[in-house]
Amino acid sequence: MLSGPAGLLLTVAALAVGALALWQVFRPLSQGSKYYLIIFLAGVLPLVFLAYPSDLRLPARLRARLSANRAEATGSDSDGRVPAPASTRPTVTDWALSALAVAACLYPVLPIRIGSGGGGYNAFLDRQGLLAATDLVLGTVLLLLLLEACRRATGWILPAVCLLFLGYGYYGGLLPQSWPVAHAGLDFSQLVDAFYNSDSGFYGTPLDVAASYIVLFTIYGAVLELSGAGRFFVDLSAAAFRRSRTAAGRTAVASGFLLGTVSGSGAATTVSIGAVTWPLLRRAGYPPERAGGMLAAAGVGAILSPPTLGAAAFIIAEYLGVSYLQVLGWATVPTVLYYLGILLAVEIDARRSGVRPVVIDVGSPWRLLARFGYHFASLIAIIVFLAIGVSATRAVVFAIVLAVVLSYLDRAHRLTPGRLVTALVTGVRGVLAVTAVCAAAGIITATTTKTGLGPQAAALLIGGAQAATSDPTLVLVLTALLAAVALSLLGLAVPVTASFVIGWVIVGPALLDLGVTAPAAAMFVFYFAVLSEVSPPTALAAVAAAAVTGGRLVPTMWQTLRYALPAYLTPIAFVITPAGLGLLGIGGVQRIAFAAGVTALSVAVLAVAAGGWLPGVGPAGVPERVLGALAGVTLLWLEPVPVTVGAALAAVAAAGVFVRRGAAGRSTSGSPANPVEEQL
């Protein structure tokens, strides 16, 4: 933590930003939402340069590994990027950049004339498309500052991607006009105008989401954490499974789910549950790499778990013009299926590896619920408020107030005024990096809008699939597979929020053009953006888990991938058949039940194929595992014939395991006794 003048300034500024965000919910600024975004960015961007000093030159992944043991759940941004340790004092350069950020951000609203520009907010808007020289200079300064802020918070990759889009916008006119991605070309002033003075640039939907939603949910998460909810969720998970043979593994998974409901951060949740459950896993006999994989997979589920999904979920609501409650509904069944896959993998590992039962010294879960169950009240309140038509912003503020009031039921975790200020500041600090990412995402969205890149890229993607087949169904399947690969590769390089924004403007139009509904396309892009957190070689959640367990990094990543494997295939079911909409809770009860039941069977079969063990029976050989993998993939095609074929393949695989077990038993009983044993 920063100390001295820098720490005091950071605290005061964060407190002011948090207060403004809360005030805006009930008393919006009269000048409009864009005016608020300008003020919000002016309050947050300078803090990034103080919280992420310039002399921290280690790669983002290594910084995350070094700081993961010290990170707290509320200290990470909602994309899961673990913040850089802020123990180093800001340099003169950091202070200068911070001051420059204030000037560049506030310039559009300053009522004074500056050269040919300035003159206040309305005058700035009137110059849209005809920027003055001062506008151009300060817009360029803000562009460079955002790139540097992203570099400090997330590493070099996202700024490089933004520069690639910037270069495409500027030099695209030099491409051969016969190329599908060629365009007329934009000069630099046009680009800066699109970034600085339009609704699709810096002050577009991603920043609006960060300033209106994410900051409130990070404050809410900080309030719950300081009120003792995090520890209660872990204790409740341990108490619920304390008599089970797989108590340690189940506790880790259940803790990840419960903490994920308030965290919305993959790496932060991984660290939080790992600090408590890793000793249990070690006593049970889990190797560090396998335990780390389990913790990382469970932690990443935080970005998928209602009611506080990751930042991209709020962007979905804004892009599609739907309520956040609808997005929560779309996420519910896939979240349950995700954790089902992890729990099955835990059960399989326990039987295959001979995990030892451990005694967890906790009380009765009913006593814990009776004493601390009030921590669930604010979570339930969010859903209730959303259901009765209250906006998501007001719902979370009301939940914050309820959590603060209920904290006084526990003397050790009462949110006194001092602790409440700490929660507010911690919540704002948690949104610093994601704000920089969301503002920089405006470079991508504005360039795509100005050049028409989205439809052009969609045509290329569909054309690639059509080159292989002319069958419309197969074209859709191939497009979905190509999109999944592209999104997975993209997610390796950039944070989840940026990955979703880029994926939506590039991949989204291709899926929509092929008749995929907007909710299915958006959730498809969202899930593959989230899964980048567990995808080698840059799986940040696995990096955080390895830091907790002390395991080797690469094996931990592969173990994480194994636990999360079913999740990579489930989103494809969203888009390849109309019945897949049932997984998003869309359609009648019959469609939802059919889709959920068949996909649950698919997840179970894939877990058995990946783990090589059928619970209650015994080990599965290579033939059974191959059949199981084929069955699991076939079942995801939610149509009667593929489902029948998949179920038959699963039954054959299960029968093979039974036969293998019987053969092993006969071999053991029929083998000659050891002469020494006979003598004994």
Side-chain angles (χ1 to χ4, degrees):
M1 299 288 291
L2 289 173
S3 59
L8 179 61
L9 177 62
L10 189 64
T11 298
V12 172
L15 185 61
V17 170
L20 175 63
L22 293 171
W23 178 268
Q24 175 72 8
V25 173
F26 299 98
R27 293 289 187 271
L29 299 180
S30 59
Q31 296 89 341
S33 61
K34 186 174 179 179
Y35 189 92
Y36 165 65
L37 296 181
I38 291 172
I39 302 299
F40 181 84
L41 187 62
V44 171
L45 185 59
L47 301 184
V48 175
F49 295 105
L50 301 181
Y52 297 81
S54 60
D55 56 349
L56 292 176
R57 301 185 184 278
L58 294 175
R61 188 173 67 181
L62 184 55
R63 290 205 313 268
R65 185 169 186 177
L66 293 175
S67 63
N69 279 324
R70 299 189 298 272
E72 297 178 356
T74 54
S76 293
D77 69 69
S78 62
D79 271 327
R81 265 46 185 182
V82 180
S87 58
T88 303
R89 292 183 178 181
T91 64
V92 174
T93 302
D94 299 324
W95 285 107
L97 291 177
S98 182
L100 197 58
V102 173
C105 289
L106 288 181
Y107 164 76
V109 300
L110 291 178
I112 58 176
R113 300 294 302 185
I114 303 176
S116 57
Y121 181 57
N122 290 332
F124 178 76
L125 294 181
D126 290 341
R127 293 193 297 273
Q128 185 173 354
L130 296 170
L131 292 187
T134 313
D135 302 334
L136 182 61
V137 170
L138 287 172
T140 303
V141 168
L142 184 56
L143 169 66
L144 296 175
L145 288 172
L146 285 172
L147 292 175
E148 170 61 9
C150 285
R151 183 198 69 81
R152 295 184 181 210
T154 66
W156 283 101
I157 301 299
L158 180 56
V161 172
C162 291
L163 288 173
L164 181 65
F165 274 82
L166 181 63
Y168 170 72
Y170 188 75
Y171 292 107
L174 302 179
L175 296 174
Q177 292 303 301
S178 59
W179 289 15
V181 295
H183 60 87
L186 300 168
D187 62 38
F188 190 70
S189 63
Q190 289 177 303
L191 289 169
V192 173
D193 178 73
F195 300 153
Y196 198 34
N197 201 356
S198 79
D199 293 334
S200 62
F202 301 146
Y203 306 110
T205 298
L207 181 61
D208 190 14
V209 166
S212 302
Y213 297 95
I214 301 172
V215 65
L216 298 177
F217 275 86
T218 56
I219 292 172
Y220 172 59
V223 165
L224 277 187
E225 182 67 24
L226 287 176
S227 68
R231 183 69 200 192
F232 162 68
F233 291 149
V234 174
D235 288 344
L236 180 64
S237 301
F241 302 118
R242 70 189 190 280
R243 300 182 186 277
S244 168
R245 175 184 177 183
T246 56
R250 291 182 181 180
T251 298
V253 176
S255 299
F257 171 72
L258 290 175
L259 284 178
T261 59
V262 298
S263 170
S265 168
T269 305
T270 298
V271 172
S272 298
I273 63 175
V276 178
T277 60
W278 163 233
L280 299 176
L281 296 170
R282 182 171 52 206
R283 283 163 48 197
Y286 283 93
E289 292 78 15
R290 185 174 297 167
M294 181 192 306
L295 293 172
V300 165
I303 314 177
L304 308 174
S305 300
T308 54
L309 303 173
F314 297 98
I315 298 178
I316 291 175
E318 291 296 312
Y319 278 170
L320 300 189
V322 300
S323 70
Y324 184 60
L325 182 62
Q326 284 185 270
V327 180
L328 295 185
W330 299 342
T332 300
V333 174
T335 299
V336 173
L337 294 172
Y338 178 79
Y339 279 102
L340 171 65
I342 300 176
L343 279 173
L344 289 171
V346 168
E347 299 296 325
I348 290 169
D349 277 355
R351 286 154 180 78
R352 185 176 184 181
S353 306
V355 171
R356 299 185 298 271
V358 295
V359 178
I360 302 178
D361 187 17
V362 290
S364 163
W366 303 112
R367 289 185 178 180
L368 280 172
L369 279 172
R371 177 65 183 87
F372 299 107
Y374 60 83
H375 286 300
F376 286 112
S378 61
L379 291 171
I380 297 171
I382 291 178
I383 305 298
V384 172
F385 283 130
L386 291 174
I388 63 177
V390 177
S391 67
T393 52
R394 293 197 174 196
V396 71
V397 172
F398 292 151
I400 290 172
V401 173
L402 180 59
V404 171
V405 172
L406 293 176
S407 71
Y408 281 81
L409 296 176
D410 182 3
R411 182 183 296 273
H413 294 95
R414 289 177 179 173
L415 288 175
T416 59
R419 287 169 58 82
L420 193 55
V421 168
T422 300
L424 195 62
V425 172
T426 302
V428 173
R429 287 178 63 101
V431 84
L432 295 183
V434 75
T435 298
V437 169
C438 286
I443 300 171
I444 298 165
T445 55
T447 302
T448 303
T449 301
K450 280 283 188 179
T451 61
L453 177 62
Q456 295 165 344
L460 281 176
L461 193 61
I462 296 173
Q466 289 175 336
T469 178
S470 59
D471 183 85
T473 303
L474 293 180
V475 167
L476 175 58
V477 172
L478 287 176
T479 302
L481 292 175
L482 290 173
V485 172
L487 290 168
S488 298
L489 294 175
L490 175 65
L492 299 179
V494 297
V496 172
T497 302
S499 179
F500 174 80
V501 171
I502 299 171
W504 180 246
V505 299
I506 302 298
V507 172
L511 296 175
L512 294 174
D513 288 347
L514 291 174
V516 177
T517 63
M523 294 303 286
F524 177 89
V525 175
F526 173 62
Y527 271 83
F528 277 104
V530 169
L531 290 172
S532 65
E533 290 271 331
V534 296
S535 300
T538 59
L540 188 61
V543 173
V548 172
T549 65
R552 293 169 297 165
L553 183 56
V554 174
T556 300
M557 288 183 178
W558 287 116
Q559 288 293 333
T560 303
L561 183 63
R562 182 174 66 85
Y563 277 104
L565 180 62
Y568 280 86
L569 300 175
T570 301
I572 295 176
F574 297 168
V575 299
I576 60 175
T577 61
L581 291 174
L583 294 174
L584 303 179
I586 299 174
V589 175
Q590 184 176 358
R591 172 193 274 185
I592 296 171
F594 170 76
V598 173
T599 309
L601 176 60
S602 171
V603 168
V605 174
L606 288 171
V608 171
W613 191 279
L614 182 61
V617 182
V622 173
E624 292 84 11
R625 297 176 72 174
V626 171
L627 278 177
L630 290 174
V633 172
T634 305
L635 285 167
L636 291 175
W637 196 307
L638 297 173
E639 295 293 341
V641 174
V643 168
T644 302
V645 172
L649 290 174
V652 171
V657 177
F658 275 101
V659 171
R660 183 179 298 275
R661 177 186 179 184
R666 289 191 299 272
S667 174
T668 302
S669 62
S671 60
N674 190 317
V676 176
E677 292 177 351
E678 288 184 349
Q679 292 176 3
L680 293 174

